[in-house]
Amino acid sequence: MGKSRTKRFKRPQFSPTGDCQAEAAGAANGTEGEEDDGPAAELLEKLQHPSAEVRECACAGLARLVQQRPALPGLARRDAVRRLGPLLLDPSLAVRETAAGALRNLSACGGFDVCDDMVTKDIMTPLVALLKECSAGLDSNEMSPQEKKDQNRNSIENIANEAMNVLWNICECSSRAVSIFNKEGCLEIVLKYLSRFPTNVDLAISVAYCLQTVTEDNPELLKSFSAPALSVLESAMLSPVSSMEYILLKTLVAGTIWNLKDIIPSKSQAEIINAILKILSDVLDLDAGETVIRMHEAEKQRLEAAAETEDVLESTSCGSLMEDDEMEEIPHKRKVRRKTFISDLLPPTDKELRETIALLTAQQTALEIIVNMCCSEDPSDDEWEELSSSDESDAFMENSFSECGGQLLSPLCLSHEVHTAFTNYLIPKKIFEKTTFPNSTAVDICSRSPTWKSLVRKMNTIQCRALVCLQSLVSLLDVDHLGGPAALQTLAQHLSQLLFSQPDFAKHVDFLEAISSALRALLQTMASKNISQCMTPDQLMTLCTTGIHSSNTGVRVNVVSILGITGSVLAKEDGTLDTLKTIGCFLLEVATKDPSLVVAGEALDALFDVFADGKEAERASVQIKLLSALKEFQPVFKMKIRKEGRGKYSPDQLCVLDNVKMNLRRFVAYQETVEKRLTT
């Protein structure tokens, strides 16, 4: 039903402790009721305890509890948000940090409904107040660097980091939260936090995530960006530090600057695009698989060295007095217990794992930014200044952001010049490389390590994002910018090999949707340019037969469209009668039996394309009795649209379905003339 539209990517919510999708066993066993209210009630009661240490431990306990989905209804019934909110301004810094951590986990694990409910329960008031207090505290904090290090756990910056994550999660899910962000002048506060990136990259990354969220489709906020504000972004994006965490920071800031394209002075637009693409290109240059292998080995060596050092220390301390051990025992246990709780609120503390996660996240983010760039509005090409991929991009903002008072142009677009910049930075080639399966050695290493196991999913996600990115580029770039017809044929072979080298590809829904979307766009481009296609009929039918049984509507739409594209090409060739009959029967069955009207409409559209022209197509349509089948289905389709349409489908989908219904009437009339001509 028309060209496929690439989905824009939103920022994924961050789960500070990994996977927030708690096991459903508790719910299945019926333990989500009163049993879950037990610990919740006890912990919430302790939030009012006069001891700061008890309040801190209660917040830390709640931070762990909210990760269990069955516990969320009980916490909602007991008004956990209203009870935790005031603790953001608790006299104890430790309580503030753990309360913010609990709210961070709740907002990350609870999803859109929980975040919206948090806004309804006025969490933004104490949260904004906390952010303002932290900002003022940073100005007045005169502790030495060593003192800051010693008090790191309860430092103002750590509290600000937790609070920024709460703000990011809530703004990601609630437009009301974004409005409050605008009205309360939060931009100035968070930019102050971002400016601390040279000494606290974790805080800067949290701010960058939040900024990328709140600057998307927010024209009111864009008015607040002054030249000094933009200079803060400039400094962070051009940071010379090359660690993986700084790579992630620069990638996120590049995404934010892309969101600010409407306010960038015309003189600076070319340099900005080059600077953004250079960062994205550099990120995609890195080999994630090799990095995983190298960093895991570094972690192994570090832990072995630490173990040897610990053995030496233990052997030299055997003569210590027993009473010394006894004196240290109680505070030691208490400290470890508290540390264990607080670690539940924070990202992984192992340096190698943190760095590797940062790189994988940066690559995923870079691919998502490219997809979003491809989805932008397209003003006229003459609004663009000439782009180049010269070294000037390294210093593109030397004078650019001081020009904010000057005349601005319309939003940036993927014009011919931008297409060229994509090619100059080898963006298509680097995306192509990311579509391959993750390094098998890296996957094996991660699979055998409990702490690294989650990285397998991250590597698979990068592959899926690259495939979606490829779909966008194939749909938008000229064939020449993609390497010419031969390159497209090589790409088609590559995608086919990826698909059929994985026997159980039907089980991997995200992968199947991504690769079928890429194939659909590629085959459409090749068909429109009369480039011969490389999928065999057997491969085609294997993909379609498997994909049509997917629970994912997008997969079913893609395979039906692929069949229509291929069939329309075959209809113009000789000796394709049997294949066209197989395609026609398949599409008819989908059109008449698929529960989704969107898929059924796509199947009808594909039938129109396949049997619109060609002698072989005409013969095939008569032999499979296409006309009688469509005549019988026509009133059924109209009735389904009337009964199901308004309740289940969007206005855009209904508009497309109405067009399909009208085209079906015309196609039936056309088939009547075909059948009459061939049977007389």
Side-chain angles (χ1 to χ4, degrees):
M1 296 194 301
K3 287 188 177 180
S4 60
R5 295 185 63 182
T6 304
K7 59 186 176 186
R8 296 188 67 182
F9 285 108
K10 294 282 188 178
R11 300 273 61 76
Q13 286 192 356
F14 174 68
S15 166
T17 57
D19 188 3
C20 282
Q21 306 299 320
E23 295 292 335
N29 294 331
T31 60
E32 72 272 26
E34 295 181 2
E35 289 185 49
D36 283 311
D37 277 359
E42 183 181 353
L43 290 169
L44 290 171
E45 189 68 28
K46 289 180 178 178
L47 295 179
Q48 308 302 320
H49 198 279
S51 167
E53 185 174 291
V54 173
R55 296 197 302 274
E56 179 189 359
C57 288
C59 289
L62 287 169
R64 293 190 299 178
L65 186 62
V66 297
Q67 296 174 65
Q68 304 170 26
R69 284 197 180 277
L72 294 179
L75 290 167
R77 284 194 298 272
R78 294 181 179 276
D79 222 3
V81 173
R82 290 192 192 275
R83 295 194 189 189
L84 279 167
L87 296 185
L88 292 175
L89 302 173
D90 193 274
S92 165
L93 293 180
V95 174
R96 291 187 180 195
E97 183 180 349
T98 48
L103 290 165
R104 170 183 179 176
N105 281 11
L106 178 62
S107 60
C109 300
F112 286 87
D113 291 340
V114 168
C115 287
D116 197 57
D117 184 59
M118 291 173 74
V119 178
T120 300
K121 292 178 177 175
D122 199 28
I123 195 60
M124 291 294 288
T125 296
L127 181 60
V128 171
L130 174 62
L131 289 167
K132 289 180 178 179
E133 283 198 19
C134 288
S135 177
L138 292 177
D139 290 337
S140 62
N141 191 346
E142 298 179 354
M143 288 190 296
S144 69
Q146 184 59 43
E147 288 175 324
K148 288 184 180 180
K149 183 177 180 181
D150 293 340
Q151 301 183 27
N152 185 55
R153 185 170 63 84
N154 293 330
S155 70
I156 293 174
E157 289 185 353
N158 279 353
I159 297 171
N161 188 35
E162 295 293 343
M164 280 305 312
N165 277 277
V166 180
L167 182 64
W168 166 38
N169 289 339
I170 294 176
C171 288
E172 179 70 31
C173 298
S174 171
S175 59
R176 289 185 297 158
V178 175
S179 296
I180 294 171
F181 183 100
N182 295 345
K183 292 175 184 176
E184 292 293 332
C186 292
L187 179 63
E188 181 180 353
I189 300 170
V190 301
L191 285 173
K192 180 183 290 186
Y193 296 155
L194 180 62
S195 68
R196 304 183 77 84
F197 71 88
T199 57
N200 193 333
V201 68
D202 288 338
L203 176 58
I205 287 172
S206 298
V207 172
Y209 270 122
C210 187
L211 281 173
Q212 196 176 16
T213 293
V214 298
T215 54
E216 187 169 7
D217 302 323
N218 188 356
E220 181 183 347
L221 182 64
L222 300 194
K223 300 173 186 176
S224 304
F225 274 90
S226 60
L230 292 169
S231 295
V232 175
L233 296 175
E234 169 194 358
S235 298
M237 191 165 103
L238 299 180
S239 169
V241 184
S242 58
S243 73
M244 295 177 200
E245 288 170 318
Y246 276 89
I247 288 172
L248 172 58
L249 173 63
K250 290 187 280 189
T251 304
L252 291 167
V253 174
T256 299
I257 291 176
W258 172 257
N259 290 341
L260 301 177
K261 56 187 176 293
D262 291 8
I263 65 168
I264 300 301
S266 59
K267 184 178 179 181
S268 306
Q269 289 184 354
E271 292 90 343
I272 286 171
I273 278 292
N274 276 293
I276 291 174
L277 289 180
K278 184 178 188 304
I279 287 175
L280 303 184
S281 176
D282 290 345
V283 171
L284 296 177
D285 260 339
L286 300 172
D287 189 322
E290 290 299 323
T291 300
V292 168
I293 296 169
R294 176 168 50 83
M295 297 301 282
H296 187 271
E297 180 62 26
E299 179 191 67
K300 180 181 176 182
Q301 293 177 5
R302 176 177 59 80
L303 294 176
E304 288 175 351
E308 291 175 2
T309 302
E310 185 176 346
D311 289 341
V312 171
L313 291 174
E314 286 181 358
S315 65
T316 58
S317 63
C318 288
S320 298
L321 294 175
M322 181 63 69
E323 55 266 28
D324 290 339
D325 292 335
E326 291 174 353
M327 290 173 64
E328 292 297 326
E329 183 177 359
I330 293 176
H332 174 71
K333 285 184 177 179
R334 181 178 298 167
K335 180 178 180 182
V336 170
R337 181 170 182 244
R338 186 185 300 172
K339 186 176 181 181
T340 300
F341 276 135
I342 293 175
S343 68
D344 290 335
L345 315 180
L346 302 175
T349 54
D350 291 340
K351 179 180 184 298
E352 298 84 4
L353 182 57
R354 283 173 61 91
E355 290 268 314
T356 308
I357 289 174
L359 173 61
L360 294 176
T361 306
Q363 292 196 339
Q364 177 181 333
T365 302
L367 292 166
E368 291 171 357
I369 292 170
I370 293 171
V371 171
N372 290 348
M373 291 173 75
C374 293
C375 293
S376 295
E377 297 293 329
D378 287 343
S380 60
D381 288 352
D382 60 3
E383 293 178 345
W384 266 94
E385 306 216 356
E386 184 177 354
L387 294 175
S388 68
S389 58
S390 67
D391 293 337
E392 293 174 354
S393 60
D394 289 330
F396 76 95
M397 293 186 186
E398 185 176 352
N399 297 309
S400 61
F401 285 145
S402 62
E403 303 171 342
C404 284
Q407 184 175 356
L408 308 180
L409 291 186
S410 300
L412 305 179
C413 66
L414 285 184
S415 64
H416 173 76
E417 290 81 3
V418 183
H419 292 182
T420 302
F422 266 61
T423 306
N424 290 342
Y425 282 112
L426 303 178
I427 297 293
K429 178 178 180 292
K430 293 173 184 180
I431 291 171
F432 174 86
E433 292 168 353
K434 297 300 177 187
T435 63
T436 58
F437 288 116
N439 184 307
S440 58
T441 304
V443 170
D444 184 57
I445 288 172
C446 293
S447 299
R448 289 187 278 107
S449 172
T451 55
W452 289 67
K453 193 171 185 178
S454 64
L455 271 61
V456 175
R457 179 163 185 161
K458 290 183 178 293
M459 288 186 280
N460 288 331
T461 299
I462 288 173
Q463 182 192 27
C464 290
R465 293 292 189 269
L467 288 166
V468 174
C469 214
L470 189 64
Q471 173 203 352
S472 299
L473 293 184
V474 167
S475 300
L476 289 172
L477 296 184
D478 297 333
V479 172
D480 290 341
H481 286 127
L482 293 168
L488 293 187
Q489 289 180 320
T490 301
L491 180 56
Q493 291 173 343
H494 166 70
L495 294 179
S496 299
Q497 184 179 5
L498 276 181
L499 182 64
F500 295 108
S501 65
Q502 189 166 328
D504 58 345
F505 66 81
K507 297 179 182 178
H508 305 280
V509 177
D510 291 342
F511 169 75
L512 184 54
E513 181 179 16
I515 197 167
S516 60
S517 296
L519 270 171
R520 175 183 181 178
L522 177 60
L523 294 177
Q524 180 66 60
T525 297
M526 294 174 73
S528 67
K529 302 297 181 182
N530 294 318
I531 301 171
S532 59
Q533 304 183 10
C534 342
M535 285 185 72
T536 67
D538 287 344
Q539 288 179 326
L540 181 69
M541 294 313 301
T542 298
L543 168 61
C544 294
T545 303
T546 304
I548 206 62
H549 293 105
S550 172
S551 60
N552 185 297
T553 301
V555 171
R556 303 204 304 277
V557 166
N558 285 337
V559 297
V560 164
S561 178
I562 287 170
L563 206 53
I565 294 165
T566 306
S568 64
V569 173
L570 294 175
K572 300 176 178 64
E573 300 176 1
D574 295 329
T576 58
L577 177 64
D578 290 340
T579 303
L580 290 173
K581 287 165 62 176
T582 302
I583 291 174
C585 291
F586 183 93
L587 292 174
L588 263 178
E589 184 171 3
V590 174
T592 55
K593 295 183 179 179
D594 195 286
S596 168
L597 279 175
V598 172
V599 179
E602 190 71 46
L604 288 171
D605 220 22
L607 281 169
F608 305 157
D609 290 339
V610 174
F611 295 100
D613 192 22
K615 293 181 180 179
E616 296 284 67
E618 290 180 351
R619 289 172 57 203
S621 67
V622 172
Q623 292 184 24
I624 65 173
K625 297 181 172 53
L626 180 61
L627 176 60
S628 60
L630 291 179
K631 276 186 172 181
E632 183 180 347
F633 180 63
Q634 193 171 8
V636 177
F637 186 63
K638 291 172 64 176
M639 179 189 67
K640 281 187 173 182
I641 293 176
R642 188 170 61 252
K643 287 188 173 181
E644 302 175 18
R646 295 190 181 277
K648 293 175 64 175
Y649 302 99
S650 68
D652 287 345
Q653 289 173 324
L654 287 174
C655 181
V656 174
L657 287 170
D658 282 338
N659 285 335
V660 173
K661 181 177 65 176
M662 180 175 61
N663 290 337
L664 176 59
R665 186 176 70 248
R666 295 172 178 171
F667 186 73
V668 166
Y670 164 71
Q671 282 295 311
E672 286 175 339
T673 62
V674 170
E675 187 162 310
K676 185 181 296 184
R677 174 162 44 83
L678 293 181
T679 56
T680 56

